[in-house]
Amino acid sequence: MSVQNSKAAASVRKGSIVPKVPGVKPTKAAYKKKDEEERVDKGVGWDETHGKGLIKPADQLELTEAELKEEITRILTANNPHAPQNIVRYSFKERSYKQVVVDQMAVHFVLEGSLVHQDSDEARRLRARGGLPGGPEVVTVETGAEPDEDETETPATPVEDGGEVEEVGEEDRPDSVASKTDKKQPKLTNQINFSERGTQTLNNPLRERSTQTEPPPRRNFSATANQWEIYDTHMEELQKQEKNKEKQKATLPKTDSDRSKKRLMLMETQSDDFTKVGKASKIFERMIHQNTFDDIAQDFKYFEDASDEFRDQEGTLLPLWKFQYDKAKTLSVTALCWNNNIQDLFAVGMGSYNFSKQGCGMVVFYSLKNSSFPEYIYPTKSGVLCLDIHQQHSNLVAVGFYDGCVAVYDLKSEGLEPVHKSTAKTGKHTDAVWQVRWQNDDMDNNHNFYSVSSDGRVVSWTLVKNELIYTDIIRLSLNGAVSEGPEDAQLPIFTCGTAFDFHKQIDSLFLVGTEGGKIHKCSKTYSSQFLETYDAHSMAVDAVRWNHFHPKVFISCSSDWTVKIWDHTINTPMFTFDLNAAVGDVSWSPYSSTVFAAVTTDGKVHVFDLSINKYEAICRQSVVAKKTKLTHLEFNPVYPIITVGDDRGYVTSFKLSPNLRMKPKAKKGQELPKGPEVEVAKMEKLLSLLREQEESPV
Amino acid sequence: MADVEDTLKRIETQKGVIGTVVVNGDGIPIRTTLDNSTTVKYAGLFRQLTVMARSTVRDIDPQNDLTFLRIRTKKHEIMVALENDFLLIVIQKPCE
């Protein structure tokens, strides 16, 4: 009923809206006021304000004009039009029907919210379940006690909320417990009607923009860092620092030298030549030589002839290297001398003994390390007859020539000319110089040497400030010593001196051998007299040598085929050996006082050891081809080898077999005495034996 | 200069010497008695070897330096000298 009423009311209302007359404008305000509270409608069937034709619905009530004009009052009340107005209830108390107050509220729209008040029970329950912070009774997730509490709570909640949701919640809980620290705090949500709706903002379109720069140029670099590279850089740094210091010290004068140095350096770098391998090539030559003559080198060093034991005190000479120089083929070896300081270097003087054929000569130095080519070559105008190397300053070589000159060569100086040379003005000999010998430096520390020549003079030459100054020491005459004074009536006849030797210990004592075969004992200090004269040989004395150890003994050899050993206090020789051929040279060995060797013109080398055999040589060996004459012989001061020169320009070296190098046998239990005293004693023993022999027949 | 020339000539004409090569600081052979390909081979290979050997020697003691290297093979002996950045290589067949 109420519904029908409302419908009618609505239609009435509808009709009343239409007839609004524009002329009623001034009263619109009044109407508006009324409208707010009650609406008074006029039944006009035409809406002028809208200007449209009125459309009547088909089922509209047809009313008469009078009915239309009837004013119906409408009142706006707060009553719910739908609410029934005439509900009565029978009240048994009053036994009548009473009107009931009807609830006038009409709910138009209900929207339940999804938020939960934070202090409500549900919120508390949610917090406990979800592990949310923010409440005083929140328990941290990490503790193990928390799950128990949840478990006790969760059975209570299914009663109130949906059971399914709780299970889900339980499942969620372990996850949330586990990863609580990672997740954001979840929202406090209502379990019933929580709905989440997300929106997405408009995403701006992405645009990519990139640029590329040009890569920097790359270069591969590799290096090693070794110990020596580090060292090298340090050294360079050091040198740079030193240079800087020097530059700071001296500025102007240094710049010139720097410039010149720079020029030199430029020159050096430009020339791409191999002078830089000069040193290496020299050493290479020797290396190759060593390889080629490997067996000889091994023999030289190590070979000791074992068969000497069975040879009954005889020895042999093992040929080693053979030294020859192409350009010296026509010359014969006239002098040999070993270098004391460099023990593998020896000097060879080349010239000619032939009186008629005199040409140029040569001084040639060989090293044992290279037998194919000499180390130093000095060509000379005149044939060399003798040479001597200074004991201490082994770069100085004194040379005596066939034309009577003497010269001093310095090996260190470049160039092939002698450092000093005697000329006719400076007192050169008028005849061939047969022997030169260096002496100890004199009191002014000048080097000096002696020479003996066929003109009968023994001259001392002193090197004073780049000059050769000569001093006649003695003149050899047939009639004994001759005084220098012109009062002497006798014409002094000078003999030719052919050999001389200075005493090893007594500096002033020396021996001179002459062409006539006599040997004179002289002293440097006594220039007028000989100390003694020995009638040694029948022909020219070729060599005379003091013994290295025994102070009294000397040896002499001559072209009269003999070698004689003397005690200088006795006028007659101690020993005489006949060698069947002219003896060219004789030499004592440096290691024993009783061993000496001699070379003869028949190409043989004779080695004697007086302590073993007083009458015969213990080695007699033919060492060169036939018709080659041996001219000179020298023992090496250190190694057990000898060099022998011949008249073909060859120098051959030999190794002495052990038998030739015998040391005195020590008795069992006794110490082997060493040193020169032993040698002296050895010799002395021999001599004493001889003296006894001599004395006994007397 | 002439002295070195003579020495090198003598080395080259020595008995048993198969060949010599002189290599300058840039590794270019400047004097040789062997044919071109062999020379280039020797120069290159020995440059490497000497650098290695020198490095070894100097690594042990930086103040030391390599001077000569002698390689004895079945067939011959190769001798290498290091001087002033130059390499001097000689191959010799020792006559035995």
Side-chain angles (χ1 to χ4, degrees), chain A residues 389-533:
Chain A
I389 300 178
H390 200 284
Q391 259 77 32
Q392 285 88 41
H393 306 272
S394 53
N395 53 312
L396 293 172
V397 185
V399 182
F401 296 98
Y402 197 90
D403 63 359
C405 289
V406 288
V408 177
Y409 284 88
D410 188 351
L411 292 176
K412 282 186 190 167
S413 69
E414 294 180 17
L416 301 171
E417 287 304 310
V419 178
H420 300 97
K421 195 161 181 185
S422 70
T423 60
K425 284 184 198 169
T426 57
K428 80 172 180 97
H429 290 281
T430 50
D431 211 343
V433 178
W434 287 99
Q435 196 94 44
V436 283
R437 278 273 186 268
W438 282 103
Q439 298 300 307
N440 295 328
D441 286 355
D442 64 9
M443 286 182 289
D444 301 327
N445 283 336
N446 293 322
H447 304 309
N448 63 335
F449 64 94
Y450 278 65
S451 66
V452 69
S453 147
S454 296
D455 65 356
R457 279 162 55 213
V458 176
V459 180
S460 151
W461 305 84
T462 317
L463 295 170
V464 178
K465 285 186 195 170
N466 301 334
E467 272 179 19
L468 259 185
I469 296 172
Y470 81 99
T471 323
D472 266 8
I473 296 299
I474 200 161
R475 293 193 144 184
L476 310 165
S477 72
L478 272 180
N479 310 335
V482 175
S483 61
E484 299 257 349
E487 299 101 30
D488 219 55
Q490 282 176 323
L491 269 175
I493 305 168
F494 298 116
T495 59
C496 312
T498 50
F500 73 165
D501 195 20
F502 286 81
H503 197 275
K504 308 288 173 204
Q505 283 95 36
I506 307 165
D507 210 21
S508 57
L509 190 64
F510 67 96
L511 295 163
V512 184
T514 62
E515 207 176 2
K518 290 199 182 153
I519 298 177
H520 302 284
K521 184 166 75 171
C522 319
S523 168
K524 285 186 204 171
T525 46
Y526 293 106
S527 62
S528 50
Q529 246 189 353
F530 301 132
L531 293 174
E532 197 152 346
T533 307

Side-chain angles (χ1 to χ4, degrees), chain A residues 4 33 53 120 148 358 485 526:
Chain A
Q4 286 171 0
K33 281 184 189 167
S120 70
D148 296 326
Q358 279 297 320
Y526 293 106

Side-chain angles (χ1 to χ4, degrees), chain A residues 14 53 63 96 103 169 214 254 310 318 358 375 380 403 442 444 469 496 538 570 577 635-636 648:
Chain A
K14 226 186 208 176
L63 296 172
S96 63
D103 186 16
E214 213 177 276
K254 280 276 179 180
F310 313 109
L318 179 72
Q358 279 297 320
E375 302 292 313
T380 58
D403 63 359
D442 64 9
D444 301 327
I469 296 172
C496 312
S538 45
I570 301 170
F577 301 98
F635 279 87
N636 185 304
R648 288 239 182 109

Side-chain angles (χ1 to χ4, degrees), chain B residues 21 26 34 36 47 54 56 62-63 70 72-73 78-80 90-92 94:
Chain B
V21 182
D26 301 323
L34 303 163
N36 200 27
R47 175 110 251 149
R54 192 154 183 250
T56 311
Q63 292 179 326
R70 223 165 161 170
R72 195 80 186 238
T73 68
I78 304 166
M79 293 173 266
V80 183
V90 172
I91 308 133
Q92 185 189 16

Side-chain angles (χ1 to χ4, degrees), chain A residues 15 103 129 151 242 252 282 291 301 347 395 407 413 469 617 639 647 667 683:
Chain A
D103 186 16
R129 205 183 300 141
E151 275 168 27
E242 278 170 23
L252 278 171
K282 263 196 173 171
N291 273 337
K301 196 78 190 186
N395 53 312
S413 69
I469 296 172
Y639 303 116
D647 68 342
K667 290 179 192 169
M683 202 64 197

Side-chain angles (χ1 to χ4, degrees), chain A residues 226-228 231-232 272-277 279-281 283-285 287-288 290-292 372-373, chain B residues 1 4-5 7 10-11 14 24 30 55 58-59 62-63 68 70 77 79 81 83 86 88 90 92:
Chain A
N226 281 332
Q227 192 89 348
W228 55 271
Y231 175 81
D232 274 347
D272 191 33
D273 67 339
F274 27 79
T275 47
K276 296 178 184 175
V277 289
K279 239 190 191 178
S281 58
I283 295 175
F284 254 45
E285 208 186 339
M287 283 161 83
I288 291 165
Q290 184 190 31
N291 273 337
T292 321
S372 47
F373 198 77
Chain B
M1 176 80 185
V4 183
E5 256 309 314
T7 315
R10 265 183 279 131
I11 292 175
Q14 262 281 8
N24 74 348
I30 51 178
S55 172
R58 293 204 75 202
D59 227 358
Q63 292 179 326
F68 288 93
R70 223 165 161 170
E77 178 158 344
M79 293 173 266
E83 199 180 328
F86 275 66
L88 179 59
V90 172
Q92 185 189 16

